[in-house]
Amino acid sequence: MHAMVLKKVGTALEWTDLADRQPGAGQIRVKVAACGVCRTDLHVVDGELPDPKVPIIPGHEIVGRIDAIGTGVEGLRLGERVGVPWVGYTCGVCPYCRGGQENLCDRPLFTGYTRDGGFATATIADARYAFPLGEVGRDQALAPLLCAGLIGWRSLAIAGAGKKLGLYGFGAAAHIVAQVARWQGRSVCAFTRPGDGAAQAFARRLGAAWAGGSDEMPPEPLDAAIIFATAGDLVPLALRAVRKGGRVVCAGIHMSGIPTFPYRLLWEERQLVSVANLTRQDGIDFLRLAPTIGIVTQTTPYPLNQANQALADLRAGRFEGAAVLVV
Ligand SMILES: [Zn+2]
Ligand SMILES: [Zn+2]
């Protein structure tokens, strides 16, 4: 197999030939067809997340077909198309796993961070964390659903049922969430970098009722806001934009420092929460519903050996929607 490998944090990924790997008990081998490039991959490469497994093959929005099955795997078959997400393993026995919060597992493994991911021609996955994708939709179009879509889905659920939703940062996740929110009958306000007319136009094309800079106030107070961007400065801005009792959800795995803000922004039962990872049920629910919602992802393809370029373009904001490595 071939892979783009991060050998040292802070350096470029290197094209590497590796011996084929065999799936162990409870595992499958997936021949990768497409793998989305997520901002979390940048955090891994940049060393912004603690204790990555190095060397590591990044990538946790994997779409591919099963080409080997380990012992004890049930319900999956050779040739089946599956998606492999960020959460790659949970222990099943810690208090969080037992309590229905496996997304907070004490001993998890994360695809592309603490276990090898999908910037490769093949990957080994825990069969419990491989979601059947069916045959509707192209590999490249489905890849962003595995993280941007799934984290967005969980964030949307945690934001509550309010009709007026704000999205701060209009990248891969928000462009999917906006479509889901519209399908649920919500009204979406999209907040981008001030002056980013292209991103605002992109948001309006995807059904946003209003789009403006993050320094602007929405036309009406929001029921809830989800922050996908990594700037902690957005937290007080989002709190300012939600109504009494409203909720602000931080959806990113990493954020810059949150500045101090006047208590009155939190007063009146406004809530500030974060969303971490996903449960298998999130994956099953969302991926089952995705074809019905008719989500259209906007993707920019790169060959596997151009992964460094894809990361650089993501960092610089050179495309709308999501970058996907096509293997
Ligand atoms: Zn656990
Ligand atoms: Zn991700």
Side-chain angles (χ1 to χ4, degrees), residues 90-94 96-97 105-107:
T90 51
C91 77
V93 296
C94 76
Y96 294 101
C97 281
C105 175
D106 281 335
R107 286 175 292 277

Side-chain angles (χ1 to χ4, degrees), residues 38-41 60-61 86 147-148 151:
C38 173
R39 189 159 293 278
T40 300
D41 298 314
H60 56 270
E61 297 181 310
W86 167 247
C147 180
I151 297 295

Side-chain angles (χ1 to χ4, degrees), residues 95-169:
Y96 294 101
C97 281
R98 286 173 178 274
Q101 290 180 293
E102 64 189 9
N103 59 307
L104 302 178
C105 175
D106 281 335
R107 286 175 292 277
L109 289 174
F110 296 110
T111 311
Y113 172 36
T114 53
R115 70 182 285 158
D116 281 331
F119 289 7
T121 53
T123 193
I124 301 290
D126 184 324
R128 299 173 305 154
Y129 283 94
F131 301 123
L133 292 176
E135 297 296 331
V136 177
R138 291 162 53 231
D139 300 328
Q140 179 183 329
L142 293 178
L145 300 185
L146 270 305
C147 180
L150 266 172
I151 297 295
W153 171 258
R154 186 171 177 85
S155 305
L156 199 51
I158 291 194
K163 293 288 181 204
K164 291 182 208 121
L165 180 73
L167 301 177
Y168 284 78

